Amino acid sequence: AELRGAGKWVLFEESMSKLRDQRLQLDIDLRTAVKREEFEVFYQSRVHLDTGAICGFEALVRWNHPTRGQVSPLEFIPIAEESGIIHDIGLWVLERACEQTQLWRKQYNLAEDFEVSVNLSPQQCKEPNLVSSVTEILQRTGLPASSLNLELTESLLMEDIDQAKAVLHALKRLGIGLKIDDFGTGYSCLKYLCQFPFDSLKIDRSFTKELDQDSVEIEEIVRTIVQMAGNLKMEVVAEGVENAAHVSRLRELGCKYGQGFLFSRPVNAAAAERMLGPKRGQ
Ligand code: C2E
Ligand code: CA
Ligand code: CA
Ligand code: CA
């Protein structure tokens, strides 16, 4: 038995070092991926829960790896954050999303408040040039700042509160909307969170998921989040809306916006465009 155990340990070590090698290789591949533009921006619709009308998109990055196929952002974003390549990837995604949205704004009769949301890694807030890079991207693409929204998860913001606050207030002054992503899952300290200029929050999909299980507790938590957001003049978007029961519960609880597979999966630009209705002048 001891020998078998020892053998297992060797296997375990081997698989650990295999994992390390894979990470290392992905890290190397990420550097060339930026240069070779192996990334693609996918879009997922955000809708008014009352009408189902589309009110914006969230931009989600995809990596088409030359040999491994599509690699999930859940796998490569953490590596990119650790190595710092997230700065380049993040700005590339931002520019693509702004450029595309500005084109759609010209081609389609989008609602006045139609917004594209782009995920901003808290790591990116540490880049001293972030605000000027974002300003340049808005100028180059012509997208009004009011049509851009940035989504941030709260946890890393708390590492250097003063710096994060300065960056977020500067972005806010440009006229960009700011959203708290995955709300309710981090160890968010509400007192600090209130010092950031967020104007909307996203209820994490782990809450939405339980809304069709008749869990009174989850319903009360969601109701409380929606009420608190309302008092703070923040909009609420529910993530992970997968079925009609989710929609009716969320509406009952006062949540105005939703996003999820029920409405659309994240899709490439060509498919996203088909959700925007008829082109102008057609
Ligand atoms: P996120 O920002 O919370 O994005 C939502 C994730 O939930 C997306 O996964 C989306 O495909 C998925 N999702 C949407 N609706 C549903 C639903 O109804 N049910 C379920 N089960 N899932 C749903 P994705 O695209 O794999 O992205 C994963 C995470 O990777 C994102 O979570 C975000 O944290 C990160 N990420 C993606 N793109 C970027 C990016 O451009 N920059 C940065 N910094 N992070 C990104
Ligand atoms: Ca997000
Ligand atoms: Ca806006
Ligand atoms: Ca989220």
Side-chain angles (χ1 to χ4, degrees), residues 113 115 145-149 175 177:
D113 57 355
E115 273 180 358
S146 61
S147 300
L148 174 64
N149 203 285

Side-chain angles (χ1 to χ4, degrees), residues 58 119 151 181 202 239:
E58 176 176 14
N119 293 286
E151 300 190 359
D181 208 345
K202 276 179 118 163
E239 300 191 295

Side-chain angles (χ1 to χ4, degrees), residues 189-250:
C189 175
L190 290 174
K191 177 168 163 278
Y192 287 121
L193 220 49
C194 288
Q195 299 177 13
F196 294 104
F198 289 110
D199 41 50
S200 52
L201 64 81
K202 276 179 118 163
I203 296 180
D204 189 69
R205 73 162 178 269
S206 56
F207 293 102
T208 309
K209 199 176 157 164
E210 289 190 50
L211 282 181
D212 54 6
Q213 321 272 315
D214 282 320
S215 158
V216 180
E217 290 81 6
I218 292 292
E219 279 190 21
E220 285 313 319
I221 290 174
V222 172
R223 193 195 308 279
T224 305
I225 295 175
V226 172
Q227 273 169 7
M228 181 198 73
N231 293 341
L232 296 170
K233 307 274 178 293
M234 289 166 76
E235 301 277 15
V236 181
V237 184
E239 300 191 295
V241 180
E242 293 186 353
N243 57 50
H246 290 158
V247 174
S248 59
R249 276 282 181 279
L250 285 164

